[in-house]
Amino acid sequence: MSNAAKFGKVAVLLGGKSAERAVSLDSGQAVLEALLRSGVQAEAFDPQERSVTELVAYDRAFIVLHGRGGEDGQIQGVLEWLNIPYTGTGVQGSAIGMDKVKTKQIWQGSDLPTAPYRIITKDTDLDAVIADLGLPVIIKPVHEGSSVGMSKVEKTEDFAAAIAKATAHDAVVMAEKWITGREFTISFLNGQPLPVIRLQPPADVAFYDYEAKYQRNDVEYGIPCGLSESEEKTLQALCLRAFQAVGAEGWGRIDAMQDEQGNFWLLEVNTVPGMTSHSLVPKAAQAVGYSFDALCVAILEQTLAASV
């Protein structure tokens, strides 16, 4: 790509110290190789191995740090302080998007449909939670991504183990009403929704968990997604409102469900989605003609507007 010089020296931020470090290393390596193939002067930068003060040597940053430290506004704040343009969502939107409860509160306040939930503490009356949400529920750490620490709970006696698993990753844990139906993911590029993908994990997993996301090859990805054209447009418009409501920008992903009555429910937003061979944003972008390399360059181009 002849005009790649306009980007200058690019730090591909990967790795980090979150529970999603391994996935971030894979994503970051894929992005790095794509940028290098496109003629961009890009280098890997792992904040766990190097001081973030060394970022002053770069002209811009492509953030592929998943989870805490990379997706929650921390690295965005560092880059803002150093005056280095970066990909994706800013400090505030990143911090909100990483917090599942804050995201839900904003969606509820914006009149957007999201599954009912309760925050769980050691003092929570679990019988009251069950009376409120019914069974099954899904237990989630509030500040983790990639389905880390999540469990489906179908029986009262399984609550304690699920809460212990989630608490190992986060002091704040939530129970969310289980939505039975079809799961979809909606990716965004340049702030606009891409074609909807239907996710169909194999029958032996309870939900689209960490293993299904990154390690298995038997998850089905439906493009087209099986919705009618009007339903797909409705879901895209709903997710665009949800994406904008939390302050997400540029690129990202929202996961949603359609229940058995046909209603859509927003699950969560992902402001630094995976960019591995299994990942969903590259699949959605490919459906509208983007190669992986072209997608990475298009995401990086968002930093040019920021640096004008």
Side-chain angles (χ1 to χ4, degrees), residues 119-220:
I119 296 173
I120 303 283
T121 69
K122 62 182 189 311
D123 303 317
T124 299
D125 179 345
L126 295 180
D127 290 333
V129 171
I130 294 166
D132 226 1
L133 301 179
L135 285 173
V137 295
I138 188 154
I139 303 293
K140 300 178 175 181
V142 169
H143 303 97
E144 289 289 355
S146 288
S147 306
V148 168
M150 283 168 45
S151 307
K152 182 182 181 183
V153 173
E154 302 189 57
K155 302 192 294 290
T156 309
E157 55 266 32
D158 296 337
F159 254 101
I163 292 168
K165 180 180 174 182
T167 308
H169 296 280
D170 195 350
V172 189
V173 171
M174 66 189 274
E176 184 180 67
K177 182 181 173 69
W178 181 267
I179 307 286
T180 300
R182 299 191 289 174
E183 184 169 355
F184 298 96
T185 193
I186 298 81
S187 299
F188 294 84
L189 181 61
N190 299 323
Q192 292 303 307
L194 293 170
V196 176
I197 300 177
R198 183 181 177 196
L199 306 176
Q200 275 191 285
D204 64 329
V205 298
F207 58 92
Y208 188 53
D209 61 6
Y210 184 93
E211 187 187 355
K213 279 180 171 140
Y214 301 113
Q215 293 159 353
R216 295 180 67 133
N217 293 308
D218 52 358
V219 178
E220 289 180 31

